[in-house]
Each structure stands twice: as C-alpha cells, then as structure tokens.
Amino acid sequence: MTVSNAQLAFIFPGQGSQAVGMMRDWSDNSTVSATFAEASQVLDYDLWALVEEGPSETLDRTDCTQPAILTASVALWRLWRERAGVLPQWLAGHSLGEYSALVAAEALAFTDAVALVAERGRLMQEAVAPGEGAMAAVIGLEDEQVRAVCAEAAAQRGQVVQAVNFNAPGQVVIAGEREAVEGAGEAAEQAGAKRILPLSVSVPSHCTLMQPAAERLAERLAAIDIRQPSESMRVLHNVDVQVSRTPEEIRQRLVAQLAQPVRWSETVQQIAAAGGEVFAECGPGKVLSGLTRRIERRLEAVPMVEPDSFTALLERG
C-alpha cells in the first residue's frame, strides 16, 4: 500500500526515549555521523560518544538528554529527505520533540535548536533543586479523575502536583513536588488506578514549577531567528493543539509548553481527523508508536529508528 503526503504524519519523541546505544543501527551512516558532528561542535563535547557509550547517568541528565534526542531525530529526518521520502503533511513532537518538528519544517535552524534545547534543559534543571521534584505515570484512570486526585493532594500538602502529560486514554503523567506526587499516586491507587509508575527524570516537567524556566526561555527565544513555518508541512503544537502561522506564535507556544500540560492524545486525534493514517516516529525508541496505537487502533505507527521499518516505509512512497 502506497502512502501519500496527506496520509503521512511524522511525530518526534521527547524525553524518556533516550538510551545508551539508541542509534547503533545507524553508526555507519554518513548523514547520521555528520549530524552528530554538527551538534557536537555546538555543544563542545562529543555527543555521539555520549549516545553510544554513556554513561546513562549523564545521558539521562536533561541538559544532555534534550540535544541527544533532538540530534537523533533530525539525523533520521535528514536521511529521509536525502532518500527522497514522501514529505508528510503533518509534523508534531511530544514536548521536546516539537523542536525537532520545527527543524524539519525549516522554521528553526538545526544548530540554533541544539543550543536552544541544551539551554532549555539547563533552565529546567535550575528551576527545581535535585530530589525535590518527581513525575509518575498513572495508568487506568480517566483524565478528570487524575486531575481530581492531584488537586486533592496539592490542597492537603500545600504543594504543587498536576496532571501534565495526557499521553493516551488511561495514561496520564503527573508532576510536581515529590511529597505531593507520592500523595497523588496513593490517592490514584485508592481511586482504582491499575498502576503508578514513578519516572526516572531529573526535573518535574510541564507543571507550574517550570514557570521560572519558561520566563528565562522566553528571553533566549527572543534572540533566536525563527522563520515563517512551512505551509505544506504543518507543525501541530501540543500545548494547545494549534498550528502556528508566524514566528511569534511559535515563540509563544514554545514558552507556554514548558509549564503547561502536553495534550498528546488530542494532537494525534486531530491529525487523524484531518486524514492522517500513518504515523512515522522519527527519533529514538518506540514510545510514541505505542501511544499512537492506544489513542486510535486503526492508525499505523512506524518506529523509524529501526532500519527495516524505515526502508519499508520509504518504499511505499
């Protein structure tokens, strides 16, 4: 079955998809190597060595995770373009992945994006002291139930805990101050949640604790050259499930997403309603492919980090 650009969406992963060796299948590819070398020059350290050799403790640090995932995603995108793959009508990224999508849409230069997400990671790290924040995935409750247990735990403890990633039906991530997150998790279990999965992260992303980082990011974004978004490849932002028409709208949404929830289920649903049928996960891992199938079973999800999947989809164009 061939795939047209109207049916094709590229989705770009965010934090949590990183792993040491995540690009090993592409280690001999010159386009991938060149992309990592370009990023390394910006960062002033060997990003490929970190991705290939670790240590995982360093790769999992948000200021390293973000440029690593961005670079891996852009490398695969460049390879797709180089091999004359069908251009998708829709682009979207899960949180950090939105920066990869904007590079693909030629709204943001790759080297600017590398520097920007490294700084974004540093600002997020500085916003909350190590060990004070936490995140956890709540499995098996409705969105409103998760919001309710968070509100209750926050009120009881006088701390921040919020539902921040609406990833798929029955899968919501919460974030905030550690004690409140633990309390919300306990309340969620009492409300009937199937599982509470603490996440191994260094910052509580997308909650109001990130507002100081968002304000500093706004200053950084003001100095970055952002171009008019592509009309043929639309980037759907997951903070409000809208398409930006101007560089200023892009800046506003990138600032807003840092301290506001990721509406991923709605993002996928909107692309599907517009005719998207094949979702290519352009970056490391298979997290978004799994979520796509949970959001709408009829959708086809393709993890592009696997060479066989990449080639099979390329041949359908």
Side-chain angles (χ1 to χ4, degrees):
M1 172 186 162
T2 59
V3 178
S4 69
N5 73 312
Q7 296 170 309
L8 184 62
F10 266 55
I11 51 177
F12 297 85
Q15 291 191 81
S17 291
Q18 76 277 2
V20 173
M22 64 190 184
M23 293 295 288
R24 196 157 291 158
D25 287 340
W26 300 97
S27 58
D28 295 330
N29 185 276
S30 59
T31 299
V32 172
S33 298
T35 304
F36 272 85
E38 194 176 350
S40 296
Q41 193 167 8
V42 173
L43 297 167
D44 202 27
Y45 64 83
D46 190 338
L47 183 61
W48 180 259
L50 175 60
V51 166
E52 276 298 288
E53 303 166 13
S56 59
E57 293 80 7
T58 303
L59 181 60
D60 288 344
R61 208 176 66 206
T62 189
D63 58 318
C64 295
T65 300
Q66 296 198 33
I69 291 177
L70 171 84
T71 302
S73 300
V74 171
L76 291 171
W77 171 255
R78 286 177 169 179
L79 192 57
W80 179 262
R81 293 295 307 268
E82 181 182 284
R83 297 187 182 180
V86 174
L87 293 182
Q89 188 171 34
W90 291 98
L91 304 168
H94 191 286
S95 184
L96 163 70
E98 211 158 270
Y99 289 80
S100 306
L102 289 166
V103 173
E106 300 182 349
L108 189 59
F110 172 58
T111 51
D112 285 342
V114 171
L116 188 58
V117 300
E119 178 68 9
R120 180 179 184 264
R122 284 191 288 272
L123 294 175
M124 292 169 70
Q125 199 75 58
E126 292 168 3
V128 179
E132 291 187 3
M135 298 182 76
V138 178
I139 310 298
L141 291 185
E142 298 291 331
D143 293 353
E144 285 306 318
Q145 289 178 289
V146 179
R147 289 190 180 99
V149 297
C150 285
E152 180 184 352
Q156 287 179 346
R157 291 164 174 77
Q159 294 184 338
V160 172
V161 58
Q162 296 166 302
V164 296
N165 290 0
F166 296 92
N167 286 336
Q171 186 182 126
V172 179
V173 173
I174 62 176
E177 293 168 272
R178 182 170 298 279
E179 183 182 335
V181 170
E182 291 171 353
E186 292 169 4
E189 285 185 321
Q190 293 170 4
K194 294 177 182 176
R195 294 180 72 189
I196 308 297
L197 302 174
L199 303 184
S200 179
V201 295
S202 57
V203 294
S205 303
H206 298 292
C207 69
T208 54
L209 296 176
M210 289 294 109
Q211 190 57 40
E215 292 168 4
R216 293 173 65 189
L217 181 67
E219 298 173 7
R220 185 74 176 86
L221 278 163
I224 292 289
D225 180 31
I226 298 180
R227 295 182 288 276
Q228 191 75 20
S230 167
E231 285 293 332
S232 59
M233 294 187 293
R234 302 168 196 162
V235 178
L236 193 60
H237 296 270
N238 47 229
V239 70
D240 57 5
V241 202
Q242 297 293 319
V243 175
S244 288
R245 303 295 180 187
T246 67
E248 188 52 39
E249 287 179 356
I250 292 174
R251 288 188 179 91
Q252 291 170 358
R253 288 184 169 112
L254 290 178
V255 171
Q257 63 135 253
L258 198 56
Q260 293 185 36
V262 173
R263 295 162 58 181
W264 188 249
S265 285
E266 293 174 76
T267 301
V268 170
Q269 288 166 347
Q270 182 151 317
I271 294 172
E277 296 180 11
V278 179
F279 286 68
E281 183 171 4
C282 190
K286 303 178 184 179
V287 172
L288 298 186
S289 295
L291 293 178
T292 298
R293 296 186 191 100
R294 289 190 62 175
I295 293 166
E296 284 209 34
R297 290 187 180 181
R298 68 175 180 84
L299 300 177
E300 181 181 354
V302 181
M304 300 289 283
V305 75
E306 297 178 350
D308 289 347
S309 296
F310 183 105
T311 302
L313 184 58
L314 191 69
E315 290 173 350
R316 291 167 58 186

